[in-house]
Amino acid sequence: DADVTQTPRNRITKTGKRIMLECSQTKGHDRMYWYRQDPGLGLRLIYYSFDVKDINKGEISDGYSVSRQAQAKFSLSLESAIPNQTALYFCATSDRGKVSTDTQYFGPGTRLTVL
Amino acid sequence: DAKTTQPTSMDCAEGRAANLPCNHSTISGNEYVYWYRQIHSQGPQYIIHGLKNNETNEMASLIITEDRKSSTLILPHATLRDTAVYYCIVRAFTNTGNQFYFGTGTSLTVIP
């Protein structure tokens, strides 16, 4: 979905380096999420944020941190990257105003390789 | 959120209807059925969702059984671009947590 962008799209880094992945959205949604996907597996939630001052841990938050700089921006950081963090990372957004549902819209993904 | 069971893979001839089943026998009354698809490592794409009535949009139809224990996603005229992994997800909307639990889905191959 072009309304949700992620940068960089691909990144190769070394063990121990700090990495930041960025997500921006123009959908005007309140809620933002970070997921990771490993080969042959489904997506797993890392962190999510319901508004600028709200940060919540997901299923696999260890080794990651996030920052919600503005409604439209949600960054994921790996403070000291390790090889098993090699994965495809997706950002998603959803609209709090849709009280009957919570459809999430995903960005194109960032492929991260930690050597 | 309720667990779902989907076939690992399916084939469909181009131009024919693709019917993707999903079992969710432990679904609760307030849980919706969602379908997403993922085309070759791209971001998952929302297709459709429903609670208990059948739903149709420009992409697909969703048929939910009367007891809500299973559902079928129908792509009426499959094209090669519909080749993807399709995820069936059941979840309730809450204000405390909204993770979508993506399993391994069904890998649909549309054959020319």
Side-chain angles (χ1 to χ4, degrees):
Chain A
D1 192 319
D3 298 324
V4 183
T5 57
Q6 293 183 232
T7 56
R9 294 296 310 280
N10 289 283
R11 182 70 183 268
I12 300 173
T13 190
K14 296 182 179 180
T15 298
K17 293 293 186 181
R18 183 179 188 275
I19 292 295
M20 179 180 287
L21 309 182
E22 298 187 354
C23 176
S24 295
Q25 53 110 350
T26 59
K27 299 181 77 67
H29 287 174
D30 300 284
R31 302 177 177 209
M32 299 186 73
Y33 310 79
W34 276 104
Y35 290 85
R36 68 175 277 177
Q37 185 175 34
D38 296 279
L41 300 179
L43 278 72
R44 292 181 292 169
L45 184 66
I46 305 172
Y47 271 95
Y48 62 99
S49 169
F50 283 178
D51 63 37
V52 174
K53 296 183 179 181
D54 177 76
I55 300 291
N56 304 280
K57 293 183 177 180
E59 182 183 356
I60 52 164
S61 59
D62 288 348
Y64 301 94
S65 62
V66 291
S67 173
R68 184 81 183 269
Q69 303 96 319
Q71 185 195 43
K73 295 183 182 297
F74 193 35
S75 299
L76 176 72
S77 294
L78 288 67
E79 297 301 326
S80 179
I82 56 177
N84 74 2
Q85 291 177 314
T86 293
L88 195 53
Y89 290 84
F90 291 104
C91 174
T93 73
S94 66
D95 184 0
R96 181 180 60 187
K98 302 290 185 182
V99 295
S100 66
T101 184
D102 186 43
T103 302
Q104 293 183 13
Y105 298 91
F106 287 79
T110 294
R111 185 173 297 281
L112 177 65
T113 302
V114 183
L115 302 176
Chain B
D1 293 336
K3 179 179 173 59
T4 62
T5 303
Q6 300 177 251
T8 302
S9 63
M10 294 180 61
D11 293 338
C12 177
E14 187 178 17
R16 303 295 294 270
N19 296 280
L20 291 88
C22 180
N23 288 319
H24 31 79
S25 58
T26 61
I27 192 170
S28 300
N30 64 341
E31 288 183 314
Y32 286 76
V33 179
Y34 288 81
W35 283 85
Y36 280 78
R37 72 181 182 184
Q38 188 174 24
I39 299 173
H40 189 55
S41 297
Q42 296 178 20
Q45 178 187 22
Y46 166 77
I47 302 173
I48 199 168
H49 74 280
L51 184 62
K52 54 183 178 181
N53 298 319
N54 297 339
E55 301 287 346
T56 296
N57 64 19
E58 65 278 5
M59 290 183 67
S61 295
L62 174 60
I63 308 299
I64 302 174
T65 58
E66 191 170 346
D67 64 7
R68 302 186 71 239
K69 292 185 177 182
S70 65
S71 60
T72 301
L73 178 74
I74 301 172
L75 307 178
H77 305 287
T79 71
L80 299 179
R81 289 175 293 181
D82 292 322
T83 293
V85 177
Y86 288 77
Y87 297 97
C88 170
I89 303 161
V90 293
R91 60 190 294 276
F93 175 76
T94 72
N95 282 317
T96 57
N98 284 294
Q99 175 167 354
F100 275 88
Y101 287 94
F102 286 77
T104 53
T106 296
S107 179
L108 174 69
T109 301
V110 179
I111 301 170

